[in-house]
Amino acid sequence: MIAVKEAYQAGLFQRQHWVRNIISGVIVGIVALPLAMAFAIASGAKPEQGLYTAIVAGFFVSALGGSRVQIAGPTGAFIVVLSGITAQYGISGLQVATLMAGVMLLFLGLTKLGTIIRFIPAPVITGFTAGIGVVIWVGQWQYFFGLPDISGQHFHNKLYQLLQILPDFHGMTTLLAVTALLLTLFSPKLPGMRRIPGPLVALLIVTLLQSIFQFSGVATIGSQFGGIPQGLPEFALPSTRLEQVIELIGPAFTIAMLGAIESLLSAVVADGMTNTRHDANQELVGQGIANIAAPLFGGFAATGAIARTATNIRNGGTSPLAGIVHSLTLVLILLALAPLASYIPLAALAAILFVVAWNMSEAHHFVQMIRRAPTADVVILLITFLLTVFADLVVAVNIGVLLATFHFLRRMASSVEVKEATHQELHHEITQQGMMELPPGVLVFTVDGPFFFGAVDQFERILANTHTDPDTVIIRLKWVPFIDMTGLKTLASVIGNLQKRGITVLISNANARVSAKLRKAGVIELIGEQCYCATLQDALSAAISHDSSTQPNLPAQQMATKHRREDKATDA
């Protein structure tokens, strides 16, 4: 409801804004018509289920989401995942998985985890969207060329079979598909046609040709699905059993994660076009409710649709009213024109999906990233792309994110610097103590960067190998923004080893956050409260006073070791 509230406060529900939002909603509804049916068929569902999804999900996301102009419905990104679920569990299994995914999205939104989705790296997103584009494109060859059914679950098996039977393409089906493809691409460039969506022009003209000439052998919605029922869907709970629910947890999680990524990406694009700011958590709440409601009315998984959202903005949509009108437009089409859908050739929908696949692949951006991105990012991009195409979308995203995370940790660890401070670097602090140089037997080590598990090796190696056996070591944490548990354990271990060698350890300059963690982990207790200093000047003052008679109360073991070392030095 945040988007609705903000739109109301901005005055976007006033009468002067009605016309352009209503017009935009009608245009987007018309654009969504062929896409919803095409995505449904490609996902293994019936064409009317795509319309039900666009109607129900579109309404709830607009009314309850976190973006003023977001348009939701079935999208191409879901095709690969949903078709696999439908093939294994049937349409009822898909609807159960969608409902479960809706609950997960709602949980993510209510627990304020929406911003975490933004941390998925760009090479991973580009890799899997490009891979999805390739899979959709090849998956539509059967309808585009009028080829017979094929078997096989894996991409390479399907591609091999399609290439074998490609010479047996159906001529008239292919001709209609090419006509639809050309109309989709070029009809908006014709005079007076700029504002008419290309997919709609292609759908109308090719459907009109098929209805007039009744070409033999051309598969249509009527011949394949028996047409589209005229009327609204009825409320019904999808049938399932407990064993299936458990099996569908994984697929449901995949739908939820992909839906969250796609919807928030779409919202970010909308923000850039409208100079607004969406609420990520509320957007996930809206998406969650939409995906809970859609399968209850015959639909399936939905998310924010970037192309339809952009169309809404370009045509003047400024408030959730446009998205609600988009849903109502599809309701009117379903009630009035459903019988005419029987003549729609599947080749026309395949041609529209060809264009969708090309747009999803972002080929120019993909090539540009390969040419200009750092080598590690290119490797992550290509691995994610290849795994999406030849293995599985879930595997691809998981491995892509893991590789990106490991690469990030390696770069972060290499950026952390642990070194012995020189006289020049400490000149200011030394002169403030009235000295010309550091006192004999005092070493100062500085840590620059986050002290986390990826950086502890360098710290441990440098401090543990202090072979000079000074009297005092000062560990300066001024430039440490945070420290994790591994860093705390390593710091305690190094301090313990230095104390065993009779070396006094002082810590200085820790910020409030790091200081609290040092105290909670017992590190300050280990060195003694008097050895924990707020500034380096205080640490230097304490170091000067550290001799056998005036030094602070060091731990007994450290004191005994220090005396033994001094006795050996005297004997020598």
Side-chain angles (χ1 to χ4, degrees):
M1 292 293 288
I2 289 179
V4 172
K5 180 180 178 182
E6 290 181 351
Y8 177 79
Q9 292 175 343
L12 297 177
F13 287 130
Q14 295 178 4
R15 184 168 297 180
Q16 61 265 34
H17 298 287
W18 287 5
V19 173
R20 62 181 178 180
N21 279 282
I22 291 173
I23 291 174
S24 179
V26 171
I27 292 173
V28 175
I30 294 172
V31 170
L33 175 67
L35 295 176
M37 291 189 292
F39 293 144
I41 294 171
S43 300
K46 296 180 179 180
E48 65 267 20
Q49 292 180 298
L51 297 177
Y52 300 158
T53 304
I55 292 169
V56 177
F59 174 83
F60 280 107
V61 168
S62 294
L64 304 175
S67 172
R68 298 180 188 177
V69 293
Q70 180 86 285
I71 302 295
T75 65
F78 272 144
I79 288 176
V80 177
V81 175
L82 303 189
S83 59
I85 297 173
T86 306
Q88 185 172 356
Y89 299 101
I91 192 64
S92 63
L94 173 59
Q95 291 176 328
V96 172
T98 299
L99 198 153
M100 294 167 62
V103 174
M104 294 176 187
L105 287 168
L106 184 60
F107 174 80
L108 289 175
L110 293 176
T111 52
K112 310 298 183 184
L113 296 175
T115 54
I116 295 178
I117 306 298
R118 298 182 181 182
F119 296 126
I120 296 179
V124 176
I125 293 175
T126 302
F128 83 69
T129 52
I132 290 171
V134 171
V135 174
I136 292 174
W137 176 59
V138 173
Q140 292 303 305
W141 285 13
Q142 180 182 350
Y143 295 132
F144 191 94
F145 297 107
L147 302 174
D149 293 336
I150 59 171
S151 59
Q153 295 183 346
H154 299 290
F155 175 83
H156 61 278
N157 292 332
K158 293 179 180 179
L159 179 61
Y160 178 72
Q161 293 182 49
L162 287 170
L163 290 174
Q164 282 188 315
I165 63 175
L166 191 58
D168 300 327
F169 67 91
H170 187 265
M172 186 51 65
T173 299
T174 305
L175 182 60
L176 289 175
V178 171
T179 302
L181 180 62
L182 294 175
L183 289 170
T184 301
L185 293 172
F186 299 111
S187 65
K189 299 180 181 180
L190 298 176
M193 300 282 286
R194 186 177 65 86
R195 297 182 66 86
I196 303 177
L200 178 64
V201 174
L203 187 71
L204 291 176
I205 292 180
V206 174
T207 301
L208 183 63
L209 291 173
Q210 176 62 24
S211 64
I212 293 174
F213 297 103
Q214 300 285 316
F215 298 115
S216 176
V218 174
T220 65
I221 287 180
S223 65
Q224 292 290 108
F225 302 98
I228 293 179
Q230 189 173 15
L232 297 177
E234 296 181 358
F235 177 88
L237 290 172
S239 60
T240 186
R241 60 186 189 281
L242 180 60
E243 294 82 1
Q244 189 181 59
V245 170
I246 296 174
E247 293 176 6
L248 288 170
I249 291 176
F253 182 77
T254 303
I255 294 174
M257 291 300 99
L258 187 57
I261 294 169
E262 187 80 1
S263 63
L264 294 181
L265 280 177
S266 178
V268 169
V269 171
D271 287 347
M273 297 178 68
T274 59
N275 197 28
T276 58
R277 186 177 181 84
H278 74 280
D279 186 297
N281 294 312
Q282 184 62 37
E283 181 62 25
L284 292 187
V285 169
Q287 295 288 342
I289 294 174
N291 280 279
I292 292 172
L296 299 179
F297 291 93
F300 52 89
T303 186
I306 296 176
R308 275 161 276 173
T309 299
T311 301
N312 180 35
I313 297 169
R314 293 192 191 103
N315 286 279
T318 58
S319 76
L321 177 62
I324 294 172
V325 171
H326 139 267
S327 295
L328 295 176
T329 300
L330 289 172
V331 169
L332 293 176
I333 293 174
L334 190 62
L335 293 175
L337 303 177
L340 300 179
S342 296
Y343 296 104
I344 296 176
L346 299 184
L349 299 178
I352 293 171
L353 286 182
F354 268 27
V355 178
V356 170
W358 172 257
N359 293 334
M360 282 192 65
S361 68
E362 294 185 305
H364 174 72
H365 180 59
F366 187 89
V367 173
Q368 189 179 54
M369 186 173 288
I370 290 177
R371 292 175 56 188
R372 299 183 180 180
T375 303
D377 290 331
V378 173
V379 171
I380 293 170
L381 169 70
L382 293 176
I383 289 176
T384 305
F385 170 77
L386 292 173
L387 287 174
T388 301
V389 174
F390 292 103
D392 179 78
L393 176 64
V394 181
V395 173
V397 173
N398 287 340
I399 291 180
V401 170
L402 282 175
L403 290 175
T405 301
F406 290 148
H407 177 55
F408 172 76
L409 291 175
R410 185 181 66 83
R411 288 190 296 182
M412 285 288 292
S414 63
S415 70
V416 179
E417 187 176 16
V418 182
K419 65 177 182 178
E420 181 181 347
T422 64
H423 171 78
Q424 291 79 8
E425 292 171 336
L426 301 176
H427 176 74
H428 177 69
E429 289 82 0
I430 292 174
T431 55
Q432 281 193 335
Q433 298 297 320
M435 300 182 296
M436 298 300 295
E437 58 183 16
L438 280 173
V442 176
L443 295 180
V444 179
F445 287 89
T446 63
V447 183
D448 188 354
F451 200 163
F452 72 112
F453 65 89
V456 298
D457 181 65
Q458 183 184 173
F459 176 83
E460 192 171 27
R461 184 176 64 253
I462 292 176
L463 267 73
N465 294 333
T466 307
H467 298 300
T468 54
D469 275 357
D471 292 327
T472 305
V473 167
I474 300 174
I475 302 175
R476 194 182 190 192
L477 303 180
K478 183 176 182 180
W479 294 283
V480 176
F482 69 86
I483 185 169
D484 70 356
M485 191 60 208
T486 305
L488 290 167
K489 290 180 66 176
T490 302
L491 180 59
S493 174
V494 169
I495 290 172
N497 291 333
L498 292 174
Q499 289 177 342
K500 288 177 182 177
R501 291 158 56 186
I503 300 172
T504 302
V505 181
L506 295 95
I507 294 177
S508 74
N509 297 94
N511 63 38
R513 184 179 180 184
V514 173
S515 177
K517 292 188 176 182
L518 291 174
R519 192 171 299 280
K520 185 177 181 180
V523 175
I524 294 178
E525 182 182 354
L526 178 65
I527 63 173
E529 190 72 38
Q530 61 279 359
C531 292
Y532 178 69
C533 306
T535 65
L536 182 60
Q537 290 91 334
D538 294 341
L540 289 172
S541 297
I544 294 172
S545 65
H546 284 181
D547 55 39
S548 59
S549 59
T550 62
Q551 62 185 320
N553 298 324
L554 301 176
Q557 183 185 15
Q558 179 180 346
M559 195 71 169
T561 306
K562 186 175 183 72
H563 285 317
R564 285 198 300 270
R565 183 163 57 83
E566 290 174 348
D567 291 342
K568 289 180 181 179
T570 302
D571 292 341

